[in-house]
Amino acid sequence: RRRLLFTNAHNQTIANFTYYIMMKLAVLAAMAGSAAAFAPASIGKTVTTLNAFENEIGALPPTGFWDPAGLSDGISQERFDEYRLAELKHGRVAQLAVLGYVAPETYRFGYDMVPDGSINTNDIPNGIAAIKVIPFLGWVQIIAFVGCVETYGWFTSPTGVLDLPDNILAKRQTAELQHGRLAMLAFLELIRHDSQNLTVPGFDGLDNLITGLPFLYK
């Protein structure tokens, strides 16, 4: 069941990238993948107890299975798999969102976004401020690119599953969950800092957006 839950990862990543663009449009848009990546197998709706999930992927020391809100109390295995799928989706989106903040601080493609050359990619500010600056043709380019990527995809296994030994697969599943959890926290702080800086420019007395990574600007 765990192997099936983490199947077709890259198809889901493509769908998440589409919703990442929507997040740039709406700042904090809700993004959900369109593919059934890592879809869990059909499992009977037998109600389980908390102890049944203590050995699931992602339950790590020292906290173990951590569910302070009690969302898993009395739920079925099928519902738990749905929650885990949602966690994977949000984690992937958050990783792309963090990358979308960091990458423009280090590199720009430097091409004209419109035929008349009135605006260049180097002129687009990073973060939330870009929403008001990117022209209509710029959004058309972004959406067209995402559509092509989602249509054709990449890095998918011909068999639709990840053909890895169980111990290696478990490590990679755990790493993906941990990276996604960290990215969700990182994006929340980035969006908070960026929003506050738009409201009160220079509130932190620093010139750069990614203040936690000063080496990016050296």
Side-chain angles (χ1 to χ4, degrees):
R1 180 182 59 79
R2 289 178 179 174
R3 180 180 290 272
L4 290 175
L5 182 63
F6 286 83
T7 300
N8 297 331
H10 304 290
N11 286 340
Q12 183 61 58
T13 302
I14 298 305
N16 285 340
F17 184 63
T18 301
Y19 284 91
Y20 163 65
I21 296 302
M22 296 304 296
M23 176 198 60
K24 283 289 191 179
L25 283 166
V27 181
L28 289 173
M31 301 176 195
S34 60
F38 294 117
S42 297
I43 301 174
K45 297 182 178 180
T46 303
V47 175
T48 57
T49 63
L50 177 63
N51 292 334
F53 305 123
E54 289 183 344
N55 294 322
E56 289 286 343
I57 293 293
L60 300 172
T63 58
F65 184 79
W66 193 65
D67 180 22
L71 297 177
S72 62
D73 293 349
I75 65 172
S76 66
Q77 183 67 55
E78 185 178 35
R79 178 56 60 87
F80 178 85
D81 290 342
E82 291 175 358
Y83 288 166
R84 172 50 51 83
L85 181 59
E87 182 181 17
L88 284 167
K89 291 178 181 179
H90 285 85
R92 291 169 186 161
V93 169
Q95 290 176 76
L96 289 170
V98 171
L99 182 63
Y101 260 106
V102 175
E105 293 290 296
T106 61
Y107 179 78
R108 300 295 181 95
F109 288 102
Y111 68 90
D112 294 331
M113 299 195 74
V114 292
D116 62 6
S118 59
I119 186 168
N120 189 280
T121 55
N122 292 329
D123 302 324
I124 304 296
N126 196 5
I128 300 173
I131 296 175
K132 294 183 179 181
V133 179
I134 296 177
F136 173 75
L137 287 179
W139 290 117
V140 170
Q141 295 173 53
I142 294 172
I143 294 172
F145 173 75
V146 172
C148 290
V149 171
E150 185 173 4
T151 299
Y152 297 103
W154 67 71
F155 300 134
T156 56
S157 170
T159 61
V161 297
L162 298 177
D163 301 318
L164 297 171
D166 289 343
N167 61 328
I168 300 296
L169 181 62
K171 289 181 180 179
R172 295 191 180 182
Q173 292 168 347
T174 301
E176 181 181 23
L177 282 171
Q178 292 295 87
H179 293 160
R181 291 164 178 170
L182 178 60
M184 285 187 273
L185 294 174
F187 175 68
L188 285 175
E189 171 54 24
L190 283 169
I191 204 73
R192 182 210 62 79
H193 183 272
D194 192 11
S195 301
Q196 188 170 356
N197 200 45
L198 283 177
T199 305
V200 186
F203 79 96
D204 55 5
L206 301 173
D207 298 327
N208 301 317
L209 176 62
I210 313 296
T211 57
L213 302 175
F215 60 86
L216 292 176
Y217 305 97
K218 294 182 179 180

